[in-house]
Amino acid sequence: MKTFYPPQHIEHQPPVEFWNGRAEPISEVAVRVDSILHAMQLAGMENPLPVTQFDLAETRSALEQIHSRAYLDYLDSAYDHWVADGGDPQGVMPFISPGSRKHGLPERLNGLARPGAFAFDMGAVIVPGTAAAALASAQAARLAALEICAGAASAYALCRPPGHHAGTDFYGGYCYLNNAALAVETLRQAKGGALFPRVALLDVDVHHGNGSQDIFYQRADVFTISLHMDPAFEYPFFAGYQSERGSLAGEGYNSNYPLPLGTGDADYLTALTLALDEIAYFGPAACVVSLGVDTYAGDPIGKFKLSSACYTQIGKRIAGLGLPTVFVQEGGYNLEYVGTLVTDVLIGFEVL
Ligand code: Q9C
Ligand code: ZN
């Protein structure tokens, strides 16, 4: 399958994140991409295509279908405003939140306060290269989706930074633009909506895809479904519960599978089978997979216990849907194994 990746990701290397009130080194590092590229090469997969030149205006207008303009403008200018108003040049991080939201956003918001209007945590620091990297990462997902529109059975977007925690107008958890949502929307827009009238977004990252859920929460044409660590105990805490089923026209088109910390292969695959049954019942014409491999037992931040043998199974079972599928990279932080876990899923899918 064709793979797209954004070389610009290398300019995005935030120095630190805050977690539990402590400054910690960031798990979402640039060498994750090298691990994946290396594993793909070892597995003899098609050469990944770098996303270099692309039409910024076109990508921006596609992104406006899933993010608010105010948020996209913020991301573009956050670093400059932050530094101009006296913020630490190491990177942009919220240190104040609006508290009451009764008054809307002020017309002119100080560059130091702006992050508080959009960031939901202190884990997605903005450095000078972040906006361009996020844009190229989103473009990789868009190109992968366009492959499917052109008739390919599958495509892979090796996205960095990842995207599933980014919502309509919020960001966090290493995510800035929702790459998988952009892939979904690209599929939906193809041929005036006629090519893929319904699309499923399956999120297998160990964390709940709160951004993706937010973006499609009121829509019936996109079924969002996520398997993840029970948010009562783990990040992102505020969303990912079973009771969240979608609203208005989207009621019934969001499904969450919070699973206990320590979940292993058997219980995971049982839940995945239920999720795939729900997807089949929805009857989509295509599927986008938010592919996080931070479910691995050896992952430094995920708290599931999947063995490395499970990933081929995951790929095979997803292939069982028989749908054109876009894989979009999310998390996965074991630098030694992230590459093979990803290629195991992709190869498992291809050789069903
Ligand atoms: N030191 C994704 O997997 N931070 N985001 C954990 C541990 C939050 C994960 C910090 C995890 C965000 C795309
Ligand atoms: Zn994750």
Side-chain angles (χ1 to χ4, degrees), residues 53-85:
Q53 266 153 354
F54 56 95
D55 184 343
L56 289 176
E58 205 250 347
T59 306
R60 159 84 191 209
S61 85
L63 283 165
E64 284 179 3
Q65 304 299 315
I66 58 164
H67 293 293
S68 72
R69 288 179 186 193
Y71 173 62
L72 293 170
D73 289 344
Y74 161 75
L75 187 59
D76 269 347
S77 57
Y79 186 82
D80 290 347
H81 286 219
W82 169 263
V83 173
D85 286 338

Side-chain angles (χ1 to χ4, degrees), residues 164-165 205-207 294 331-333:
H164 75 148
H165 295 305
D205 186 279
V206 79
H207 304 99
D294 41 11
Y333 307 101

Side-chain angles (χ1 to χ4, degrees), residues 9-60:
H9 83 86
I10 207 76
E11 305 296 331
H12 168 69
Q13 303 204 38
V16 67
E17 73 176 299
F18 279 85
W19 180 250
N20 305 336
R22 299 178 190 99
E24 288 192 357
I26 295 197
S27 307
E28 202 291 290
V29 290
V31 292
R32 296 175 58 241
V33 172
D34 301 332
S35 170
I36 297 171
L37 290 173
H38 182 67
M40 292 186 73
Q41 198 178 11
L42 280 185
M45 298 178 68
E46 246 179 87
N47 271 343
L49 303 165
V51 176
T52 45
Q53 266 153 354
F54 56 95
D55 184 343
L56 289 176
E58 205 250 347
T59 306
R60 159 84 191 209

